[in-house]
Amino acid sequence: MSVLDINKIRQDFPILDEKVNGRDLVYFDNAATTQKPFVVLEALANYYGHYNANIHRGIHFLAEKATSAFEDSRTTIQKFLNAAQKEEIIFTYGTTDGINLVAQTYGRKFLKEGDEIIISTLEHHSNIVPWQMLCEEKGCVLRVIPIDDKGDLILEEYEKMLSEKTKFVSVVHVSNALGTINDVKFIIDKAHEVGAKVLIDGAQASSHITIDVQTLDADFYAFSAHKLFGPTGMGVLYGKLDILNAMPPYRGGGEMIKEVTFEKTTYNELPYKFEAGTPNIADVVAVKFAIDYINELGKENIAAYEDELLKYATDQLSEISGLRIIGQAKEKVSVVSFVLDGIHPQDVGVILDQQGIAIRTGHHCTQPLMNRLGLPGTSRASFAVYNTKPEIDKLVAGIHKVKKMVL
Amino acid sequence: MTINEIQDEIIEEFELFDDWEGKYEYIIDLGKKLPKLADEHKNQDNIIKGCQSIVWLHAYKKDDKLHFEADSEAIIVKGLVSMLVKVMTNHTPEEILKSDLYFIDKVGLASHLAQTRSNGLASMVKQMRAYAVAYQAKDN
């Protein structure tokens, strides 16, 4: 039994009262985006309603209040990741933006022809394409860590790939399609042994796993606010201070400069060097409330309850004949991907939607992974702390209905 | 039958269903009954872009009229496609280009038309019209 009061938690999320196609909404698409609690919605309304102002350069009351709320979020995130300094926290538009920033600045400056970049078969397209673009431009070589049939990375193969040619490793912490939790500590340590830098794509991990960038010794860690009950269009890139300092700026514009003349511009210090233009102030301010909300519930409590849901769902779904769970890694977050014999995932999604159940179907932006698994796609149910076992029962009944209707 | 007469017939058929289940069972049934597209037409050129499941559309002209044959991996899409094929087949390119496909909305399936990225019904309609334009141009 969970120490959390799930019914009380559910009341914090107004969207859970919505009806979909006349039924109570069952929201199992949390790996795509999580829903937002009142505290986050109120933070957004409060910011716009009471202290909206452009930050950092204003001298008036509102500007100072907005700036202080904005920088409070940075400190909250610093603690959330256990980063050594708040200057190591760069605000981005999301995980994808953070990965692109690293590829386009660190990558373009420090990588050269023949250098090797290692990613894995589990990557989301956003941790593949930025590196492919860099490889195309610089003549680097992209190498891919294979997986076994259960969806675990084959780390012996990774170790064999590492050499003095390896200059960068960019690997997902948790697979969005299968839920696999990767041993990123091991991956980072091994990469450092050959002098390579490491970026961890934490999009799926940030709401489920306690992240300590110093213990991990990650060089970069990227995640998105909207996957941890925060607003969309806001993300974080953590980078080690000395590496960020050595990197050239990404976008040019206001805020990121120290002094501009038509002859030469000198750049601002960290973290502002990477935050050109008016940032996404409201969403940055609101993310603090999402993280406070998580901290109040306790990440360990959330993880324990989600594990309970995962186990229950895995057991219940396994009993459905013709259903095959895709991804049975040793360590998983609360994601269940599955296929049904003779039924296309899209049909599963459409018929469940008619019953008010939201899941995701398709390739989950991981086409190379789907090719490796020999599947056009899967149906994926992903759970958050506000989901319940009776909802999983509805999913099971819903899948039986899909089978009855289609087969 | 004109395009509108066929549409009206489909609308009338759907009036029999008072819940989503009946409606979707009917669509699934249409999908199952749609004749299989010959393998030679299941080629890369005939794939409709923008669908979550693969949809193939083959078009040809016979006696001034366009004919469509289609297939999909997903059964509900196949049922939807089957209705489109029924409405659009055996009409001249001019008739197809002038047509207003109101049946999708009337039978309560407009959301399928809007979700272009997931099931591509809109892409399918667009492709049918593109064939009509192409055949019209070829004749002139």
Side-chain angles (χ1 to χ4, degrees), chain A residues 116-313:
Chain A
E116 293 184 356
I117 300 168
I118 298 180
I119 59 170
S120 87
T121 309
L122 292 172
E123 301 314 317
H124 188 282
H125 294 161
S126 27
N127 199 24
I128 302 173
V129 183
W131 304 112
Q132 283 176 330
M133 289 163 71
L134 182 68
C135 286
E136 212 161 282
E137 185 186 324
K138 306 289 284 190
C140 305
V141 180
L142 195 65
R143 304 201 58 186
V144 185
I145 310 168
I147 55 164
D148 62 23
D149 292 336
K150 289 187 177 263
D152 273 312
L153 292 181
I154 306 176
L155 291 173
E156 301 80 63
E157 293 298 320
Y158 166 62
E159 287 188 80
K160 281 186 218 157
M161 269 176 204
L162 290 164
S163 73
E164 72 285 354
K165 284 190 199 157
T166 312
K167 293 293 183 252
F168 208 92
V169 177
S170 190
V171 172
V172 73
H173 198 162
V174 168
S175 154
N176 71 312
L178 307 183
T180 310
I181 303 174
N182 290 322
D183 185 354
V184 289
K185 175 72 184 144
F186 178 85
I187 291 170
I188 292 167
D189 287 347
K190 288 291 163 190
H192 285 169
E193 281 174 18
V194 297
K197 297 284 184 268
V198 187
L199 181 148
I200 301 298
D201 168 355
Q204 296 294 331
S206 55
S207 70
H208 303 282
I209 296 173
T210 302
I211 299 152
D212 181 335
V213 289
Q214 293 189 79
T215 305
L216 286 177
D217 199 21
D219 299 298
F220 300 100
Y221 197 99
F223 68 91
S224 303
H226 73 97
K227 305 224 195 239
L228 43 89
F229 314 124
T232 54
M234 191 272 154
V236 171
L237 173 71
Y238 158 83
K240 282 183 185 162
L241 198 72
D242 57 328
I243 304 176
L244 290 176
N245 269 325
M247 281 157 54
Y250 184 31
R251 301 186 179 97
E255 192 65 50
M256 53 78 73
I257 52 91
K258 189 175 276 169
E259 195 176 1
V260 179
T261 66
F262 283 117
E263 288 71 38
K264 172 141 182 80
T265 292
T266 50
Y267 302 119
N268 204 341
E269 290 161 0
L270 286 173
Y272 310 112
K273 184 170 91 174
F274 293 108
E275 294 177 359
T278 296
N280 188 356
I281 306 167
D283 293 326
V284 168
V285 166
V287 78
K288 174 186 186 297
F289 293 80
I291 291 176
D292 286 347
Y293 183 80
I294 290 174
N295 289 339
E296 254 168 59
L297 297 182
K299 235 180 180 182
E300 291 75 20
N301 297 335
I302 295 175
Y305 178 65
E306 286 175 347
D307 273 351
E308 205 179 304
L309 290 180
L310 174 68
K311 188 171 181 314
Y312 184 72

Side-chain angles (χ1 to χ4, degrees), chain A residues 23 344-347 350-351 354-355 361-362 376 401 404-407, chain B residues 20-21 24-25 28 32 52-54 73-77 112 118-119:
Chain A
R23 314 289 186 95
H344 193 277
Q346 189 178 350
D347 292 320
V350 170
I351 297 174
Q354 288 299 317
Q355 303 172 71
T361 61
K401 181 151 272 181
K404 188 176 144 260
M405 288 178 72
V406 175
L407 293 176
Chain B
W20 71 272
E21 257 180 275
Y24 276 84
E25 267 164 358
I28 289 166
K32 287 180 178 167
Q52 197 178 93
S53 50
I54 299 178
E73 303 172 306
I75 197 71
I76 292 171
V77 172
H112 287 275
S118 52
N119 63 37

